[in-house]
């Protein structure tokens, strides 16, 4: 019941979402993330072939493509979550800010604090709303005092657009929130660690259209301070939230460019077929 | 044009139905048998216990500090009364269980964490069955291991450092029992830890937590109810365990919390009361049923709580 009541007032504000401003492809800033010849294998099976991609800072880059095309695999390479899969092997190099994240001296834990991740299904910890957000700052020792921690938590919830909805029940379990609220809680949790980059793996696939619109709006706001890479199955979503789009197909990066160009004048025939719904 | 086939799902024979009914009848018969057996056992426990409480008031039984169930066989013998205070047996039982749990909880829990979180699939494939072999050793073997190896060792070590240790001690029995229930705890806790959703681990690791931080701050708290359930099940197993304590803990009913002394447990007393030729109308033999009923109630409560906790935990993630 309460879910419905909470989300109703949001409808008029969020539905007419501004079209994302398109980045001028001519102005090429130095990329924040540079992937060169990335090959990924699961055992014998090759999941990604020679992916080279540059991701500019403070923009939203969408990774699109049919299921099993490798877009999530590529996303998980960027904060080395693939390390957790025993049979997974990554070749090539991915540089963030000029540093190779696959260099042997890289501390994965520090890397992941810089490159946050929001998952497909909202996965709040079975703890209170406050504890969910405080978790990251606590383990990284970001707050010197209780008051400071409180500030970080509130600021993160505010940035994730959730504070107004939960400020009076910070001790309620995170799992008691609605799906969309849970996902925003997970975004707040990610922001609390002050990452530079936020990876989002189909963050709206488990959400209804209203909650989705809310998250998309949030992504657009976050772009100011964070570099965002989002994997999405929805081409409308890619078109709405991203400035750049990369199209993956069968483990290859088929085409990459400004979102407007990909959706209006794709160079590759496979991209054309996918965005018009003929493959995928 | 082919003519459309006539549709008919009226049964030509009732064969399907007969088989189905036969299967159901067999299943019901088996489960009913098990239920009635249980009811029968409980009823006989209650019935005999009531007989016992005709001889000895229930308050004397529950609150008495002395247990010496020797009653006179003939009228003219001395010491004909016997005393049936259950407290020394309860403290003995819980003392040994406490020693066992103190040993088995860290052993079982840490091996479960290792198996579930750190061991690779190959290591796991060897270690898990090896641990489970421990669970397959007959308790009587643990019994003489406790009596012949652990107890003498404790007594020798004790006398070296100037402690007086009984040759049969609660500590020896508790250690053997702890080893015995370790696999129970590790196996149940391993299942519980494994059922913590990977998404929670990913969330924690994705925030830059180390594996150890993730285990300590996310996985274990999430698995805690299930782990508590497994500990309770292990405790109830320890309380009901008989063979090890018969062989290693002694028969003297002493009201003590010192694990270096010999104690006796509810189960041991039931065994000694009922082995050999006995009349079933004396307070001595009937007291075994009162003890049995008590043991049954205690373990029933523990199991009920444990199952409740484990079930509640499962629901949380389904």
């Amino acid at each position: 019941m309460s879910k419905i009541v909470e989300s109703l007032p949001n409808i008029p504000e969020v539905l007419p979402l501004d079209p994302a401003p398109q980045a001028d492809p001519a102005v090429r800033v130095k990329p924040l993330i540079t992937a060169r010849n990335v090959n990924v294998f699961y055992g014998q099976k090759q999941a990604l072939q020679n992916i080279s991609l540059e991701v500019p800072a403070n923009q939203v880059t969408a990774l699109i493509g049919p299921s099993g095309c490798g877009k999530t695999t590529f996303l998980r390479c960027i904060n080395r979550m693939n390390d957790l899969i025993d049979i997974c092997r990554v070749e090539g190099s991915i540089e963030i800010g000029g540093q190779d994240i696959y260099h042997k001296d890289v501390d994965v834990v520090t890397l992941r604090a810089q490159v946050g991740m929001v998952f497909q299904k909202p996965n709040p910890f079975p703890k209170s709303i406050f504890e969910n957000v405080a978790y990251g700052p606590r383990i990284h020792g970001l707050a010197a005092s209780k008051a400071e921690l409180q500030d970080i938590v509130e600021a993160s919830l505010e940035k994730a657009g959730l504070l107004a909805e939960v400020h009076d029940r910070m001790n309620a379990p995170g799992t008691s929130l609605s799906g969309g609220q849970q996902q925003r809680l997970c975004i707040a949790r990610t922001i609390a660690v002050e990452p530079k980059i936020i990876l989002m793996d189909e963050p709206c696939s488990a959400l209804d259209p209203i909650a989705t619109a809310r998250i998309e709006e949030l992504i657009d706001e976050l772009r100011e301070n964070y570099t965002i890479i989002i994997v999405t199955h929805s081409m409308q979503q890619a078109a709405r939230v991203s400035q750049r789009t990369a199209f993956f197909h069968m483990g290859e990066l088929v085409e990459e460019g400004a979102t407007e160009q990909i959706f209006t004048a794709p160079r590759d025939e496979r991209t054309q077929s996918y965005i018009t719904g003929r493959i995928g | 044009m082919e003519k459309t086939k006539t549709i008919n799902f009226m049964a030509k024979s009732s064969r399907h139905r007969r088989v189905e009914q036969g299967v159901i009848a067999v299943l019901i018969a088996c489960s009913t048998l098990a239920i009635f057996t249980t009811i029968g056992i409980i009823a006989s426990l209650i019935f005999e216990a009531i007989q016992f409480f005709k001889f000895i008031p229930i308050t004397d039984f529950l609150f008495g500090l002395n247990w010496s169930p020797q009653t006179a066989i003939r009228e003219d013998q001395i010491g004909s009364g016997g005393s049936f205070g259950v407290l020394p047996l309860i403290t003995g039982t819980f003392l040994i269980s406490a020693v066992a749990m103190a040993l088995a909880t860290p052993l079982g829990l840490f091996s479960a964490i290792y198996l579930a979180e750190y061991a690779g699939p190959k290591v796991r494939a060897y270690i898990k069955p090896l641990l489970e072999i421990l669970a397959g050793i007959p308790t009587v073997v643990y019994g003489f291991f406790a009596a012949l190896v652990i107890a003498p060792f404790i007594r020798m070590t004790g006398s070296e450092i100037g402690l007086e240790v009984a040759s049969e001690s609660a500590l020896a029995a508790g250690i053997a029992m702890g080893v015995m229930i370790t696999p129970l705890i590790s196996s149940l806790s391993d299942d519980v830890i494994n059922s913590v959703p990977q998404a929670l681990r990913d969330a924690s690791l994705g925030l830059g937590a180390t594996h150890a931080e993730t285990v300590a701050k996310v996985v274990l708290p999430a698995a805690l109810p299930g782990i508590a359930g497994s500990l309770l099940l292990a405790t109830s197993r320890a309380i009901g365990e008989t063979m090890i304590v018969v062989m290693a803990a002694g028969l003297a009913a002493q009201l003590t919390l010192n694990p270096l002394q010999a104690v006796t447990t509810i189960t041991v007393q039931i065994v000694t009361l009922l082995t050999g030729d006995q009349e079933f109308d004396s307070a001595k033999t009937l007291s075994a049923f009162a003890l049995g009923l008590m043991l049954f109630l205690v373990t029933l409560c523990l199991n009920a709580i444990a199952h409740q906790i484990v079930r509640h935990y499962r629901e949380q993630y389904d």
Side-chain angles (χ1 to χ4, degrees):
Chain A
M1 280 302 285
S2 63
K3 281 179 203 168
I4 302 167
V5 178
E6 279 155 20
S7 28
L8 275 179
N10 282 336
I11 303 172
E13 324 168 11
V14 291
L15 279 184
L17 190 65
D18 294 335
Q22 298 300 317
D24 185 358
V27 186
R28 290 303 295 267
V29 280
K30 195 164 173 265
L32 181 65
I33 306 170
T34 310
R36 283 194 204 94
N37 304 321
V38 174
N39 288 292
V40 178
F41 303 85
Y42 292 117
Q44 296 299 311
K45 192 175 162 278
Q46 186 160 8
L48 285 180
Q49 294 172 21
N50 267 326
I51 307 294
S52 295
L53 179 67
E54 293 184 342
V55 178
N58 295 83
Q59 293 196 3
V60 178
T61 301
L63 309 182
I64 60 168
S67 296
C69 67
K71 53 197 190 304
T72 296
T73 299
F74 180 71
L75 192 76
R76 291 171 66 99
C77 286
I78 301 172
N79 67 346
R80 290 186 57 174
M81 285 299 271
N82 281 336
D83 290 15
L84 304 175
I85 301 165
D86 290 330
I87 54 165
C88 181
R89 200 173 86 245
V90 180
E91 286 173 3
S93 82
I94 297 179
E95 285 180 3
I96 295 179
Q99 288 176 305
D100 183 3
I101 62 167
Y102 280 90
H103 191 275
K104 63 177 169 48
D105 291 337
V106 165
D107 179 18
V108 182
V109 165
T110 321
L111 169 73
R112 290 194 193 131
Q114 299 285 313
V115 187
M117 189 156 195
V118 176
F119 297 85
Q120 192 168 353
K121 212 175 137 215
N123 55 355
F125 299 127
K127 301 173 190 278
S128 71
I129 293 170
F130 181 88
E131 288 300 321
N132 260 284
V133 185
Y135 181 82
R138 276 223 180 95
I139 57 172
H140 293 295
L142 297 181
S145 65
K146 250 190 158 164
E148 211 174 315
L149 187 64
Q150 182 83 28
D151 289 347
I152 294 178
V153 169
E154 281 179 7
S156 309
L157 284 168
E158 175 67 43
K159 278 190 218 162
L162 191 61
L163 188 61
E165 289 158 62
V166 301
H167 70 92
D168 54 348
R169 49 175 174 147
M170 298 285 265
N171 291 320
T175 44
S176 67
L177 299 172
S178 72
Q181 289 175 323
Q182 286 189 17
Q183 195 60 298
R184 278 181 282 147
L185 178 65
C186 292
I187 292 174
R189 182 174 69 183
T190 307
I191 294 172
V193 209
E194 295 169 16
K196 300 274 181 296
I197 299 163
I198 302 177
L199 309 175
M200 297 187 173
D201 186 2
E202 296 182 45
C204 303
S205 66
L207 305 182
D208 64 49
I210 295 164
T212 299
R214 188 77 190 78
I215 301 270
E216 288 180 2
E217 194 182 34
L218 175 62
I219 291 172
D220 202 51
E221 289 163 14
L222 291 174
R223 183 163 65 90
E224 197 178 322
N225 297 312
Y226 306 92
T227 303
I228 296 171
I229 304 181
I230 178 170
V231 163
T232 176
H233 259 123
S234 151
M235 280 168 288
Q236 290 84 346
Q237 183 170 67
R240 282 193 300 259
V241 301
S242 73
Q243 286 75 55
R244 299 193 71 78
T245 297
F247 172 63
F248 284 69
H249 187 57
M250 317 258 293
E252 281 176 65
L253 175 60
V254 174
E255 186 170 351
E256 176 268 332
T259 299
E260 204 175 37
Q261 176 252 310
I262 295 284
F263 280 95
T264 54
R267 285 184 291 265
D268 194 285
E269 198 180 324
R270 287 169 291 178
T271 318
Q272 172 81 36
S273 308
Y274 182 70
I275 60 172
T276 53
R278 263 178 283 146
I279 58 169
Chain B
M1 281 296 275
E2 201 181 319
K3 219 179 150 194
T4 31
K5 279 184 182 164
T6 48
I7 297 172
N8 180 16
F9 26 69
M10 294 307 130
K12 284 202 189 90
S13 77
S14 56
R15 209 184 113 253
H16 291 157
R17 214 173 299 163
R18 276 207 316 272
V19 171
E20 197 72 0
Q21 281 167 344
V23 169
I24 292 172
V26 171
L27 296 180
I28 290 179
C30 289
S31 52
T32 318
L33 193 65
I35 291 168
F36 276 116
T37 314
T38 315
I39 292 175
I41 291 173
I42 297 170
S44 83
L45 268 181
I46 293 174
F47 181 74
E48 300 290 346
I50 290 172
Q51 295 296 312
F52 169 72
F53 291 128
K54 282 180 185 160
F55 290 98
I56 308 289
I58 192 162
T59 45
D60 286 9
F61 175 72
L62 287 178
F63 305 112
L65 299 179
N66 223 330
W67 178 265
S68 67
Q70 297 310 320
T71 45
I73 296 173
R74 293 188 313 276
E75 298 278 312
D76 54 339
Q77 277 182 325
I78 45 160
S80 60
S83 47
F84 294 91
V86 80
L87 278 179
L89 304 188
I90 293 181
T91 52
T93 305
F94 279 92
L95 180 62
I96 292 178
S97 303
V99 172
M101 290 307 290
L103 180 74
T105 303
L107 277 182
L109 200 52
F110 289 155
S111 44
I113 293 172
Y114 173 71
L115 280 177
E117 289 291 325
Y118 290 95
K122 274 183 192 158
V123 180
R124 201 182 147 84
Y126 285 102
I127 292 192
K128 208 168 152 95
L130 273 177
L131 261 174
E132 275 157 11
I133 285 177
L134 275 182
I137 297 175
T139 53
V140 67
V141 176
Y142 282 105
F144 50 76
F145 177 66
L148 299 181
V149 181
I150 304 176
F153 175 77
I154 293 174
R155 201 179 52 213
M156 267 168 45
T157 324
S159 62
E160 295 275 320
I161 56 173
L163 283 173
E164 201 179 311
V165 184
S167 57
E168 290 176 318
S169 64
L171 189 60
I175 290 175
M177 201 189 277
V179 175
M180 182 195 81
I181 58 178
T182 296
L184 184 70
I185 296 179
S186 72
S187 171
L188 285 172
S189 301
D190 176 52
D191 291 344
V192 172
I193 294 173
N194 266 322
S195 70
V196 172
Q198 184 60 32
L200 291 184
R201 291 189 188 87
D202 284 352
S204 173
L205 294 168
L207 286 167
T210 63
H211 197 160
E213 283 167 337
T214 303
V215 170
K217 292 184 177 155
V218 173
V219 178
L220 286 185
L224 201 60
I227 290 173
S230 79
L231 293 182
L232 281 181
L233 283 178
T235 309
S236 106
R237 175 82 199 273
I239 290 173
E241 170 53 35
T242 310
M243 215 55 222
I244 295 175
V245 276
V246 167
M247 298 177 78
L251 294 174
Q254 301 191 62
L255 187 61
T256 177
L257 287 176
N258 180 356
L260 300 178
Q261 285 187 319
V263 295
T264 193
T265 68
I266 298 176
T267 51
V268 171
Q269 287 307 311
I270 295 175
V271 170
T272 49
L273 288 170
L274 292 185
T275 39
D277 294 335
Q278 305 287 352
E279 294 177 81
F280 274 78
D281 56 357
S282 73
K284 182 187 168 191
T285 39
L286 285 175
S287 68
F289 292 96
L291 289 178
L293 183 64
M294 178 142 199
L295 193 63
F296 169 73
L297 290 177
V298 170
T299 49
L300 181 73
C301 287
L302 279 178
N303 282 346
I305 297 169
H307 282 295
Q308 199 63 36
I309 292 175
V310 171
R311 207 185 59 194
H312 176 79
Y313 164 75
R314 290 221 178 98
E315 281 165 1
Q316 211 175 331
Y317 290 116
D318 287 347

